[in-house]
Short mmCIF file of all heavy atoms in Angstrom, two decimals:
data_model
loop_
_atom_site.label_atom_id
_atom_site.label_comp_id
_atom_site.label_asym_id
_atom_site.label_seq_id
_atom_site.Cartn_x
_atom_site.Cartn_y
_atom_site.Cartn_z
N MET L 1 -50.95 148.92 36.79
CA MET L 1 -49.51 148.76 36.93
C MET L 1 -48.85 150.08 37.28
O MET L 1 -47.92 150.15 38.05
CB MET L 1 -48.98 148.18 35.65
CG MET L 1 -47.50 147.83 35.70
SD MET L 1 -47.23 146.54 36.91
CE MET L 1 -45.59 146.15 36.58
N ARG L 2 -49.34 151.20 36.63
CA ARG L 2 -48.79 152.52 36.92
C ARG L 2 -48.99 152.93 38.36
O ARG L 2 -48.12 153.48 38.99
CB ARG L 2 -49.44 153.52 35.97
CG ARG L 2 -48.91 154.92 36.10
CD ARG L 2 -49.57 155.86 35.05
NE ARG L 2 -49.71 157.15 35.68
CZ ARG L 2 -50.81 157.65 36.12
NH1 ARG L 2 -51.95 157.01 36.01
NH2 ARG L 2 -50.86 158.83 36.71
N ILE L 3 -50.19 152.60 38.88
CA ILE L 3 -50.47 152.95 40.31
C ILE L 3 -49.54 152.17 41.24
O ILE L 3 -49.02 152.78 42.19
CB ILE L 3 -51.93 152.62 40.62
CG1 ILE L 3 -52.85 153.51 39.81
CG2 ILE L 3 -52.22 152.77 42.09
CD1 ILE L 3 -54.34 153.21 39.91
N LEU L 4 -49.30 150.92 40.92
CA LEU L 4 -48.37 150.12 41.75
C LEU L 4 -46.98 150.69 41.74
O LEU L 4 -46.33 150.83 42.81
CB LEU L 4 -48.36 148.67 41.28
CG LEU L 4 -47.42 147.73 42.02
CD1 LEU L 4 -47.86 147.61 43.48
CD2 LEU L 4 -47.40 146.37 41.35
N MET L 5 -46.50 151.10 40.57
CA MET L 5 -45.14 151.68 40.50
C MET L 5 -45.06 153.00 41.28
O MET L 5 -44.05 153.31 41.93
CB MET L 5 -44.74 151.89 39.05
CG MET L 5 -44.53 150.62 38.27
SD MET L 5 -43.33 149.48 39.05
CE MET L 5 -41.85 150.43 38.87
N CYS L 6 -46.11 153.82 41.20
CA CYS L 6 -46.16 155.07 41.96
C CYS L 6 -46.10 154.79 43.46
O CYS L 6 -45.40 155.46 44.22
CB CYS L 6 -47.37 155.86 41.60
SG CYS L 6 -47.39 156.47 39.88
N LEU L 7 -46.89 153.81 43.90
CA LEU L 7 -46.95 153.50 45.32
C LEU L 7 -45.60 152.92 45.81
O LEU L 7 -45.16 153.21 46.91
CB LEU L 7 -48.08 152.52 45.60
CG LEU L 7 -49.50 153.08 45.42
CD1 LEU L 7 -50.53 151.99 45.63
CD2 LEU L 7 -49.75 154.23 46.39
N VAL L 8 -44.97 152.09 44.97
CA VAL L 8 -43.64 151.58 45.34
C VAL L 8 -42.66 152.73 45.43
O VAL L 8 -41.84 152.80 46.35
CB VAL L 8 -43.18 150.53 44.30
CG1 VAL L 8 -41.71 150.20 44.46
CG2 VAL L 8 -44.02 149.28 44.39
N GLY L 9 -42.72 153.67 44.50
CA GLY L 9 -41.82 154.83 44.56
C GLY L 9 -42.01 155.65 45.82
O GLY L 9 -41.07 156.08 46.46
N ILE L 10 -43.27 155.85 46.19
CA ILE L 10 -43.60 156.61 47.42
C ILE L 10 -43.06 155.83 48.63
O ILE L 10 -42.47 156.42 49.53
CB ILE L 10 -45.11 156.85 47.52
CG1 ILE L 10 -45.55 157.82 46.43
CG2 ILE L 10 -45.49 157.38 48.90
CD1 ILE L 10 -47.03 157.94 46.25
N GLY L 11 -43.21 154.53 48.62
CA GLY L 11 -42.72 153.70 49.74
C GLY L 11 -41.21 153.78 49.83
O GLY L 11 -40.64 153.88 50.95
N VAL L 12 -40.51 153.73 48.72
CA VAL L 12 -39.04 153.82 48.71
C VAL L 12 -38.62 155.17 49.22
O VAL L 12 -37.67 155.25 50.00
CB VAL L 12 -38.51 153.56 47.27
CG1 VAL L 12 -37.05 153.94 47.17
CG2 VAL L 12 -38.69 152.11 46.89
N GLY L 13 -39.30 156.22 48.82
CA GLY L 13 -38.95 157.55 49.29
C GLY L 13 -39.15 157.70 50.82
O GLY L 13 -38.31 158.25 51.51
N ILE L 14 -40.23 157.15 51.32
CA ILE L 14 -40.52 157.20 52.76
C ILE L 14 -39.47 156.38 53.51
O ILE L 14 -38.98 156.81 54.58
CB ILE L 14 -41.98 156.71 53.05
CG1 ILE L 14 -42.96 157.72 52.53
CG2 ILE L 14 -42.16 156.45 54.53
CD1 ILE L 14 -44.40 157.25 52.59
N PHE L 15 -39.09 155.23 52.96
CA PHE L 15 -38.04 154.43 53.58
C PHE L 15 -36.72 155.20 53.65
O PHE L 15 -36.05 155.16 54.67
CB PHE L 15 -37.89 153.11 52.83
CG PHE L 15 -36.83 152.19 53.39
CD1 PHE L 15 -37.07 151.48 54.53
CD2 PHE L 15 -35.59 152.07 52.77
CE1 PHE L 15 -36.12 150.65 55.07
CE2 PHE L 15 -34.63 151.23 53.30
CZ PHE L 15 -34.89 150.52 54.45
N SER L 16 -36.40 155.91 52.57
CA SER L 16 -35.17 156.67 52.56
C SER L 16 -35.20 157.80 53.58
O SER L 16 -34.21 158.06 54.28
CB SER L 16 -34.95 157.22 51.14
OG SER L 16 -33.77 158.01 51.08
N ILE L 17 -36.32 158.48 53.67
CA ILE L 17 -36.49 159.55 54.66
C ILE L 17 -36.36 158.97 56.08
O ILE L 17 -35.64 159.56 56.94
CB ILE L 17 -37.80 160.28 54.49
CG1 ILE L 17 -37.81 161.07 53.16
CG2 ILE L 17 -38.09 161.24 55.67
CD1 ILE L 17 -39.17 161.61 52.78
N CYS L 18 -37.00 157.85 56.36
CA CYS L 18 -36.95 157.26 57.67
C CYS L 18 -35.52 156.81 58.00
O CYS L 18 -35.06 156.97 59.13
CB CYS L 18 -37.91 156.07 57.76
SG CYS L 18 -39.64 156.51 57.78
N GLY L 19 -34.83 156.25 57.03
CA GLY L 19 -33.44 155.81 57.25
C GLY L 19 -32.56 156.97 57.58
O GLY L 19 -31.64 156.88 58.38
N ALA L 20 -32.79 158.13 56.93
CA ALA L 20 -31.99 159.33 57.21
C ALA L 20 -32.33 159.94 58.55
O ALA L 20 -31.45 160.30 59.32
CB ALA L 20 -32.19 160.32 56.08
N VAL L 21 -33.60 160.07 58.82
CA VAL L 21 -34.02 160.74 60.07
C VAL L 21 -33.68 159.92 61.30
O VAL L 21 -33.19 160.43 62.31
CB VAL L 21 -35.53 161.07 60.01
CG1 VAL L 21 -36.08 161.53 61.35
CG2 VAL L 21 -35.83 162.12 58.94
N CYS L 22 -33.95 158.62 61.24
CA CYS L 22 -33.69 157.75 62.36
C CYS L 22 -32.24 157.28 62.48
O CYS L 22 -31.88 156.64 63.46
CB CYS L 22 -34.61 156.50 62.28
SG CYS L 22 -36.36 156.90 62.40
N ASP L 23 -31.42 157.63 61.46
CA ASP L 23 -30.01 157.27 61.47
C ASP L 23 -29.80 155.76 61.68
O ASP L 23 -29.02 155.33 62.53
CB ASP L 23 -29.26 158.08 62.52
CG ASP L 23 -27.75 158.03 62.34
OD1 ASP L 23 -27.31 157.74 61.22
OD2 ASP L 23 -26.99 158.30 63.31
N TRP L 24 -30.51 154.99 60.89
CA TRP L 24 -30.42 153.52 60.96
C TRP L 24 -29.01 153.06 60.53
O TRP L 24 -28.57 153.42 59.44
CB TRP L 24 -31.42 152.85 60.08
CG TRP L 24 -32.85 153.00 60.55
CD1 TRP L 24 -33.28 153.24 61.81
CD2 TRP L 24 -34.03 152.94 59.69
NE1 TRP L 24 -34.67 153.29 61.82
CE2 TRP L 24 -35.14 153.12 60.55
CE3 TRP L 24 -34.24 152.74 58.36
CZ2 TRP L 24 -36.42 153.14 60.09
CZ3 TRP L 24 -35.50 152.72 57.88
CH2 TRP L 24 -36.62 152.94 58.75
N ASN L 25 -28.34 152.30 61.38
CA ASN L 25 -27.02 151.80 61.05
C ASN L 25 -27.00 150.92 59.82
O ASN L 25 -26.14 151.01 58.98
CB ASN L 25 -26.41 151.08 62.24
CG ASN L 25 -25.85 152.03 63.28
OD1 ASN L 25 -25.35 153.11 62.94
ND2 ASN L 25 -25.95 151.65 64.55
N PHE L 26 -28.02 150.00 59.74
CA PHE L 26 -28.03 149.11 58.59
C PHE L 26 -28.24 149.88 57.29
O PHE L 26 -27.79 149.43 56.22
CB PHE L 26 -29.09 148.03 58.74
CG PHE L 26 -30.52 148.51 58.47
CD1 PHE L 26 -31.02 148.40 57.20
CD2 PHE L 26 -31.30 148.98 59.51
CE1 PHE L 26 -32.33 148.80 56.97
CE2 PHE L 26 -32.56 149.41 59.27
CZ PHE L 26 -33.12 149.33 57.97
N PHE L 27 -28.89 151.01 57.36
CA PHE L 27 -29.13 151.83 56.16
C PHE L 27 -27.86 152.60 55.80
O PHE L 27 -27.46 152.61 54.62
CB PHE L 27 -30.27 152.83 56.45
CG PHE L 27 -30.73 153.59 55.26
CD1 PHE L 27 -31.59 153.07 54.33
CD2 PHE L 27 -30.29 154.90 55.08
CE1 PHE L 27 -32.01 153.80 53.23
CE2 PHE L 27 -30.72 155.64 54.01
CZ PHE L 27 -31.56 155.10 53.07
N MET L 28 -27.22 153.23 56.75
CA MET L 28 -26.06 154.04 56.47
C MET L 28 -24.77 153.21 56.30
O MET L 28 -23.84 153.72 55.68
CB MET L 28 -25.86 155.09 57.57
CG MET L 28 -26.99 156.04 57.68
SD MET L 28 -27.48 156.89 56.17
CE MET L 28 -26.11 157.98 55.97
N ASN L 29 -24.75 152.01 56.82
CA ASN L 29 -23.55 151.13 56.66
C ASN L 29 -23.63 150.26 55.43
O ASN L 29 -22.72 149.51 55.16
CB ASN L 29 -23.37 150.26 57.89
CG ASN L 29 -22.96 151.06 59.10
OD1 ASN L 29 -22.41 152.15 58.97
ND2 ASN L 29 -23.22 150.53 60.26
N ASN L 30 -24.71 150.39 54.64
CA ASN L 30 -24.85 149.63 53.41
C ASN L 30 -23.71 150.00 52.46
O ASN L 30 -23.29 151.16 52.40
CB ASN L 30 -26.20 149.92 52.77
CG ASN L 30 -26.46 149.12 51.53
OD1 ASN L 30 -25.74 149.25 50.54
ND2 ASN L 30 -27.46 148.29 51.59
N TYR L 31 -23.22 149.03 51.69
CA TYR L 31 -22.08 149.34 50.81
C TYR L 31 -22.39 150.41 49.77
O TYR L 31 -21.48 151.13 49.33
CB TYR L 31 -21.58 148.04 50.18
CG TYR L 31 -22.50 147.47 49.11
CD1 TYR L 31 -22.29 147.75 47.75
CD2 TYR L 31 -23.53 146.63 49.45
CE1 TYR L 31 -23.13 147.23 46.78
CE2 TYR L 31 -24.37 146.10 48.49
CZ TYR L 31 -24.15 146.40 47.15
OH TYR L 31 -24.98 145.90 46.19
N LYS L 32 -23.64 150.52 49.36
CA LYS L 32 -24.01 151.57 48.43
C LYS L 32 -24.03 152.95 49.07
O LYS L 32 -23.69 153.95 48.46
CB LYS L 32 -25.35 151.26 47.76
CG LYS L 32 -25.30 150.07 46.85
CD LYS L 32 -26.66 149.78 46.23
CE LYS L 32 -26.61 148.56 45.38
NZ LYS L 32 -27.89 148.28 44.73
N ALA L 33 -24.46 153.00 50.33
CA ALA L 33 -24.52 154.30 51.02
C ALA L 33 -23.13 154.74 51.48
O ALA L 33 -22.90 155.92 51.68
CB ALA L 33 -25.45 154.20 52.23
N GLN L 34 -22.19 153.81 51.59
CA GLN L 34 -20.84 154.14 52.06
C GLN L 34 -20.17 155.12 51.11
O GLN L 34 -19.32 155.92 51.56
CB GLN L 34 -19.99 152.90 52.23
CG GLN L 34 -20.34 152.09 53.51
CD GLN L 34 -20.09 152.95 54.74
OE1 GLN L 34 -19.03 153.53 54.89
NE2 GLN L 34 -21.09 152.98 55.61
N PHE L 35 -20.48 155.08 49.85
CA PHE L 35 -19.92 156.03 48.89
C PHE L 35 -20.27 157.45 49.32
O PHE L 35 -19.38 158.34 49.33
CB PHE L 35 -20.46 155.74 47.48
CG PHE L 35 -20.06 156.75 46.45
CD1 PHE L 35 -18.77 156.79 45.96
CD2 PHE L 35 -20.97 157.67 45.98
CE1 PHE L 35 -18.40 157.74 44.99
CE2 PHE L 35 -20.64 158.62 45.04
CZ PHE L 35 -19.33 158.64 44.55
N PHE L 36 -21.51 157.72 49.64
CA PHE L 36 -21.95 159.03 50.01
C PHE L 36 -21.46 159.41 51.42
O PHE L 36 -21.20 160.56 51.71
CB PHE L 36 -23.47 159.16 49.93
CG PHE L 36 -23.99 159.01 48.54
CD1 PHE L 36 -24.63 157.89 48.12
CD2 PHE L 36 -23.79 160.04 47.62
CE1 PHE L 36 -25.09 157.76 46.81
CE2 PHE L 36 -24.25 159.93 46.32
CZ PHE L 36 -24.89 158.77 45.92
N VAL L 37 -21.33 158.41 52.30
CA VAL L 37 -20.79 158.65 53.63
C VAL L 37 -19.33 159.12 53.55
O VAL L 37 -18.91 160.04 54.25
CB VAL L 37 -20.95 157.41 54.55
CG1 VAL L 37 -20.22 157.62 55.86
CG2 VAL L 37 -22.42 157.13 54.80
N ARG L 38 -18.57 158.48 52.64
CA ARG L 38 -17.17 158.90 52.48
C ARG L 38 -17.07 160.30 51.87
O ARG L 38 -16.16 161.06 52.26
CB ARG L 38 -16.44 157.89 51.58
CG ARG L 38 -15.99 156.66 52.29
CD ARG L 38 -15.00 155.85 51.46
NE ARG L 38 -15.59 155.41 50.15
CZ ARG L 38 -16.23 154.27 50.00
NH1 ARG L 38 -16.39 153.43 51.01
NH2 ARG L 38 -16.73 153.94 48.81
N ILE L 39 -17.96 160.65 50.97
CA ILE L 39 -17.87 161.94 50.33
C ILE L 39 -18.38 163.06 51.23
O ILE L 39 -17.73 164.08 51.43
CB ILE L 39 -18.69 161.96 49.02
CG1 ILE L 39 -18.01 161.05 47.98
CG2 ILE L 39 -18.86 163.35 48.44
CD1 ILE L 39 -18.77 160.86 46.71
N PHE L 40 -19.59 162.86 51.81
CA PHE L 40 -20.24 163.93 52.58
C PHE L 40 -20.10 163.79 54.08
O PHE L 40 -20.47 164.74 54.80
CB PHE L 40 -21.74 163.97 52.25
CG PHE L 40 -22.07 164.16 50.79
CD1 PHE L 40 -22.88 163.26 50.13
CD2 PHE L 40 -21.58 165.23 50.09
CE1 PHE L 40 -23.18 163.45 48.80
CE2 PHE L 40 -21.90 165.42 48.75
CZ PHE L 40 -22.72 164.52 48.10
N GLY L 41 -19.62 162.70 54.58
CA GLY L 41 -19.70 162.41 56.01
C GLY L 41 -21.07 161.82 56.33
O GLY L 41 -21.99 161.86 55.53
N ARG L 42 -21.21 161.30 57.52
CA ARG L 42 -22.49 160.65 57.86
C ARG L 42 -23.62 161.64 57.90
O ARG L 42 -24.69 161.36 57.39
CB ARG L 42 -22.34 159.90 59.17
CG ARG L 42 -23.53 159.04 59.48
CD ARG L 42 -23.23 158.05 60.58
NE ARG L 42 -24.39 157.26 60.90
CZ ARG L 42 -24.48 155.98 60.75
NH1 ARG L 42 -23.47 155.29 60.29
NH2 ARG L 42 -25.58 155.30 61.07
N THR L 43 -23.41 162.79 58.49
CA THR L 43 -24.51 163.79 58.57
C THR L 43 -24.87 164.28 57.17
O THR L 43 -26.06 164.43 56.86
CB THR L 43 -24.08 164.97 59.46
OG1 THR L 43 -23.73 164.45 60.76
CG2 THR L 43 -25.18 165.99 59.58
N GLY L 44 -23.88 164.54 56.34
CA GLY L 44 -24.16 164.98 54.99
C GLY L 44 -24.92 163.91 54.18
O GLY L 44 -25.81 164.23 53.38
N ALA L 45 -24.51 162.66 54.40
CA ALA L 45 -25.22 161.57 53.68
C ALA L 45 -26.65 161.44 54.18
O ALA L 45 -27.55 161.19 53.38
CB ALA L 45 -24.48 160.26 53.93
N ARG L 46 -26.87 161.68 55.44
CA ARG L 46 -28.26 161.68 55.97
C ARG L 46 -29.08 162.75 55.33
O ARG L 46 -30.24 162.55 54.96
CB ARG L 46 -28.26 161.79 57.47
CG ARG L 46 -27.69 160.59 58.18
CD ARG L 46 -27.65 160.76 59.67
NE ARG L 46 -28.98 160.96 60.22
CZ ARG L 46 -29.21 161.53 61.38
NH1 ARG L 46 -28.22 161.97 62.14
NH2 ARG L 46 -30.44 161.68 61.83
N ILE L 47 -28.52 163.97 55.19
CA ILE L 47 -29.23 165.04 54.53
C ILE L 47 -29.48 164.73 53.09
O ILE L 47 -30.63 164.95 52.57
CB ILE L 47 -28.39 166.36 54.67
CG1 ILE L 47 -28.35 166.82 56.16
CG2 ILE L 47 -28.98 167.47 53.80
CD1 ILE L 47 -27.38 167.90 56.43
N PHE L 48 -28.48 164.16 52.39
CA PHE L 48 -28.65 163.75 51.00
C PHE L 48 -29.78 162.75 50.86
O PHE L 48 -30.63 162.92 49.96
CB PHE L 48 -27.34 163.20 50.47
CG PHE L 48 -27.46 162.56 49.10
CD1 PHE L 48 -27.50 163.33 48.00
CD2 PHE L 48 -27.55 161.20 48.96
CE1 PHE L 48 -27.64 162.79 46.72
CE2 PHE L 48 -27.70 160.63 47.71
CZ PHE L 48 -27.71 161.44 46.57
N TYR L 49 -29.79 161.70 51.69
CA TYR L 49 -30.84 160.68 51.56
C TYR L 49 -32.20 161.21 51.96
O TYR L 49 -33.22 160.78 51.44
CB TYR L 49 -30.49 159.45 52.39
CG TYR L 49 -29.55 158.53 51.62
CD1 TYR L 49 -28.24 158.38 52.03
CD2 TYR L 49 -29.99 157.86 50.52
CE1 TYR L 49 -27.38 157.57 51.33
CE2 TYR L 49 -29.13 157.03 49.81
CZ TYR L 49 -27.83 156.90 50.21
OH TYR L 49 -26.98 156.08 49.50
N GLY L 50 -32.27 162.16 52.90
CA GLY L 50 -33.53 162.80 53.23
C GLY L 50 -34.10 163.59 52.06
O GLY L 50 -35.29 163.52 51.72
N ILE L 51 -33.24 164.38 51.43
CA ILE L 51 -33.67 165.17 50.26
C ILE L 51 -34.04 164.24 49.11
O ILE L 51 -35.06 164.45 48.42
CB ILE L 51 -32.58 166.17 49.85
CG1 ILE L 51 -32.43 167.26 50.94
CG2 ILE L 51 -32.86 166.81 48.50
CD1 ILE L 51 -31.22 168.13 50.76
N LEU L 52 -33.23 163.22 48.88
CA LEU L 52 -33.53 162.25 47.79
C LEU L 52 -34.87 161.57 48.06
O LEU L 52 -35.69 161.43 47.13
CB LEU L 52 -32.42 161.22 47.71
CG LEU L 52 -32.59 160.14 46.66
CD1 LEU L 52 -32.54 160.76 45.24
CD2 LEU L 52 -31.49 159.07 46.84
N GLY L 53 -35.12 161.17 49.30
CA GLY L 53 -36.38 160.51 49.61
C GLY L 53 -37.55 161.43 49.42
O GLY L 53 -38.59 161.04 48.87
N ALA L 54 -37.43 162.71 49.81
CA ALA L 54 -38.49 163.67 49.60
C ALA L 54 -38.77 163.89 48.12
O ALA L 54 -39.92 163.95 47.67
CB ALA L 54 -38.14 165.01 50.25
N PHE L 55 -37.71 163.95 47.31
CA PHE L 55 -37.84 164.08 45.88
C PHE L 55 -38.57 162.89 45.27
O PHE L 55 -39.49 163.07 44.44
CB PHE L 55 -36.47 164.26 45.22
CG PHE L 55 -36.50 164.37 43.74
CD1 PHE L 55 -36.93 165.52 43.09
CD2 PHE L 55 -36.11 163.28 42.95
CE1 PHE L 55 -36.98 165.61 41.71
CE2 PHE L 55 -36.14 163.38 41.58
CZ PHE L 55 -36.59 164.51 40.95
N ILE L 56 -38.22 161.69 45.70
CA ILE L 56 -38.89 160.49 45.20
C ILE L 56 -40.35 160.46 45.57
O ILE L 56 -41.20 160.09 44.76
CB ILE L 56 -38.12 159.22 45.64
CG1 ILE L 56 -36.74 159.18 45.03
CG2 ILE L 56 -38.90 157.95 45.33
CD1 ILE L 56 -35.87 158.08 45.58
N VAL L 57 -40.67 160.83 46.81
CA VAL L 57 -42.05 160.89 47.24
C VAL L 57 -42.83 161.89 46.40
O VAL L 57 -43.95 161.61 45.94
CB VAL L 57 -42.15 161.22 48.76
CG1 VAL L 57 -43.58 161.55 49.14
CG2 VAL L 57 -41.65 160.07 49.60
N VAL L 58 -42.30 163.08 46.20
CA VAL L 58 -42.99 164.10 45.42
C VAL L 58 -43.24 163.59 43.97
O VAL L 58 -44.31 163.73 43.43
CB VAL L 58 -42.22 165.43 45.43
CG1 VAL L 58 -42.71 166.39 44.38
CG2 VAL L 58 -42.24 166.05 46.81
N CYS L 59 -42.19 162.99 43.38
CA CYS L 59 -42.36 162.46 42.03
C CYS L 59 -43.43 161.38 42.00
O CYS L 59 -44.22 161.32 41.05
CB CYS L 59 -41.05 161.88 41.49
SG CYS L 59 -39.85 163.18 41.12
N GLY L 60 -43.47 160.50 42.96
CA GLY L 60 -44.47 159.45 43.05
C GLY L 60 -45.88 160.00 43.17
O GLY L 60 -46.80 159.52 42.53
N VAL L 61 -46.04 161.01 44.03
CA VAL L 61 -47.34 161.60 44.23
C VAL L 61 -47.79 162.32 42.96
O VAL L 61 -48.95 162.21 42.56
CB VAL L 61 -47.33 162.58 45.44
CG1 VAL L 61 -48.59 163.41 45.49
CG2 VAL L 61 -47.15 161.76 46.73
N LEU L 62 -46.87 163.03 42.32
CA LEU L 62 -47.23 163.75 41.09
C LEU L 62 -47.60 162.77 40.00
O LEU L 62 -48.54 163.02 39.25
CB LEU L 62 -46.06 164.65 40.62
CG LEU L 62 -45.83 165.91 41.48
CD1 LEU L 62 -44.59 166.63 40.96
CD2 LEU L 62 -47.03 166.81 41.44
N ALA L 63 -46.87 161.67 39.88
CA ALA L 63 -47.20 160.66 38.89
C ALA L 63 -48.53 160.00 39.20
O ALA L 63 -49.29 159.66 38.31
CB ALA L 63 -46.07 159.60 38.81
N LEU L 64 -48.82 159.78 40.48
CA LEU L 64 -50.07 159.15 40.88
C LEU L 64 -51.24 160.05 40.59
O LEU L 64 -52.30 159.53 40.16
CB LEU L 64 -50.00 158.84 42.38
CG LEU L 64 -51.08 157.93 42.96
CD1 LEU L 64 -51.02 156.57 42.29
CD2 LEU L 64 -50.90 157.78 44.44
N THR L 65 -51.10 161.35 40.78
CA THR L 65 -52.21 162.26 40.56
C THR L 65 -52.29 162.66 39.09
O THR L 65 -53.28 163.31 38.68
CB THR L 65 -52.08 163.50 41.39
OG1 THR L 65 -50.87 164.18 41.07
CG2 THR L 65 -52.12 163.20 42.88
N GLY L 66 -51.32 162.34 38.29
CA GLY L 66 -51.36 162.63 36.84
C GLY L 66 -50.94 164.05 36.56
O GLY L 66 -51.15 164.55 35.47
N ALA L 67 -50.30 164.73 37.51
CA ALA L 67 -49.87 166.10 37.28
C ALA L 67 -48.55 166.16 36.49
O ALA L 67 -47.79 165.30 36.42
CB ALA L 67 -49.67 166.82 38.61
#
């Protein structure tokens, strides 16, 4: 179960990075993302989601390896 949760976390992080890098409209126009778009602007929100995704991937990998 722990391995599955780590892999899901890594997948979510990769999805967040892809949404930020590819500037997906459905990702950035989501009602939850609109909060960050209003605060930071679209480019700032993309940077935020890219960093957040990288952080989630790193946490998932560290948890998976047991570090």
Side-chain angles (χ1 to χ4, degrees):
M1 186 64 170
R2 184 177 144 255
I3 294 172
L4 178 63
M5 292 305 293
C6 293
L7 293 175
V8 168
I10 292 169
V12 167
I14 291 171
F15 180 76
S16 179
I17 292 170
C18 289
V21 170
C22 297
D23 196 19
W24 291 335
N25 281 327
F26 77 90
F27 186 81
M28 298 306 289
N29 291 337
N30 184 296
Y31 72 95
K32 292 181 182 180
Q34 283 299 309
F35 173 75
F36 295 106
V37 172
R38 279 193 300 270
I39 291 174
F40 302 125
R42 189 165 177 116
T43 302
R46 290 177 62 200
I47 292 168
F48 172 78
Y49 277 111
I51 292 170
L52 179 66
F55 177 75
I56 293 171
V57 168
V58 168
C59 288
V61 169
L62 288 175
L64 192 62
T65 60

